[in-house]
Amino acid sequence: DTGVSQDPRHKITKRGQNVTFRCDPISEHNRLYWYRQTLGQGPEFLTYFQNEAQLEKSRLLSDRFSAERPKGSFSTLEIQRTEQGDSAMYLCASSFFHSEETQYFGPGTRLLVL
Amino acid sequence: GENVEQHPSTLSVQEGDSAVIKCTYSDSASNYFPWYKQELGKRPQLIIDIRSNVGEKKDQRIAVTLNKTAKHFSLHITETQPEDSAVYFCAAVSSRSNDYKLSFGAGTTVTVRA
């Protein structure tokens, strides 16, 4: 499968624990986006990278959230001191510089915070 | 920021009938409008998109129309089949910034009755 991949697909954690998710974009896609989707809603933008540079963060991304894309390839999203309100599907998408607005999504990581 | 509203939230159609989903957007600078289909537990899949220099686009049984003056766009599915059952999301991208982030509607759950 040459599409966007995410790992893990599911994560159950206890409140207060830290979690980290990984996204592998489509090869040679220079832009990588993170979105959050809660039940019954459309995805909401969290942050994005152009190559290794993180260029924008939504106000939804509190100080407990951090994202990296160290070599301009895969990205990680870490949530520290998880809260029940962090329970959601975390989606990653990537796009190519020839058509940067056309984003292809990964299968997501579903997080449940108990 | 951009605000996208989507109607209806649920849609039930008889197999073979047409389905229409409508979206409105608030930012007059939006110039790219993709539609995603999301089946239960799967990734959002890009099914069709339209840019602001085009009024209509077709791809087999699906079509999208755009009215820039009224700031609304619609998805039309003809000859619906059971495999069209899914949640459909419209989205918009504004040209005001260089981030190309997607602003999504809340989604429409389409059920095709056999």
Side-chain angles (χ1 to χ4, degrees):
Chain A
D1 186 357
T2 56
V4 179
S5 61
Q6 292 185 247
D7 184 71
R9 296 290 308 277
H10 304 273
K11 179 71 177 179
I12 300 174
T13 191
K14 293 182 179 179
R15 189 176 51 187
Q17 297 294 306
N18 299 342
V19 294
T20 300
F21 311 140
R22 175 178 170 129
C23 170
D24 286 88
I26 295 171
S27 179
E28 297 183 354
H29 275 199
N30 64 321
R31 288 203 176 206
L32 187 149
Y33 295 79
W34 285 98
Y35 293 84
R36 182 171 69 185
Q37 185 177 25
T38 53
L39 203 60
Q41 297 298 317
E44 294 176 291
F45 169 79
L46 291 178
T47 188
Y48 89 100
F49 293 84
Q50 181 161 305
N51 300 312
E52 66 276 8
Q54 186 175 17
L55 296 184
E56 186 175 338
K57 293 192 286 187
S58 160
R59 65 180 185 278
L60 293 175
L61 216 63
S62 75
D63 291 344
R64 297 183 297 105
F65 289 71
S66 62
E68 294 182 345
R69 194 183 183 198
K71 297 182 180 179
S73 56
F74 73 91
S75 175
T76 58
L77 178 68
E78 180 183 17
I79 309 174
Q80 296 183 325
R81 306 181 302 283
T82 52
E83 301 173 356
Q84 288 184 325
D86 296 332
S87 297
M89 173 77 87
Y90 290 84
L91 291 162
C92 175
S94 70
S95 66
F96 191 49
F97 79 96
H98 274 311
S99 182
E100 287 171 307
E101 69 275 14
T102 305
Q103 296 177 30
Y104 298 92
F105 280 84
T109 295
R110 183 170 294 283
L111 173 66
L112 177 61
V113 181
L114 301 175
Chain B
E2 174 64 278
N3 182 46
V4 178
E5 295 192 354
Q6 183 171 347
H7 300 281
S9 57
T10 61
L11 182 59
S12 179
V13 296
Q14 188 70 38
E15 182 178 0
D17 288 350
S18 295
V20 181
I21 304 170
K22 299 182 179 181
C23 290
T24 60
Y25 60 98
S26 61
D27 187 349
S28 57
S30 288
N31 60 357
Y32 175 69
F33 307 91
W35 287 86
Y36 287 86
K37 174 184 180 182
Q38 189 174 30
E39 297 175 75
L40 195 61
K42 295 193 176 181
R43 72 186 71 202
Q45 179 188 1
L46 178 66
I47 56 171
I48 196 167
D49 57 13
I50 191 168
R51 288 175 171 79
S52 58
N53 58 346
V54 175
E56 183 176 358
K57 184 177 178 181
K58 278 187 177 180
D59 183 3
Q60 300 183 343
R61 294 186 298 107
I62 59 173
V64 58
T65 58
L66 171 65
N67 183 326
K68 285 190 296 183
T69 303
K71 290 192 282 189
H72 68 70
F73 55 113
S74 301
L75 178 72
H76 304 251
I77 307 173
T78 59
E79 301 172 17
T80 53
Q81 301 169 6
E83 53 264 36
D84 294 329
S85 295
V87 180
Y88 292 80
F89 293 97
C90 62
V93 173
S94 174
S95 62
R96 288 189 193 278
S97 65
N98 201 29
D99 54 28
Y100 299 104
K101 64 185 176 192
L102 294 165
S103 296
F104 283 89
T108 297
T109 301
V110 174
T111 303
V112 180
R113 306 187 307 272

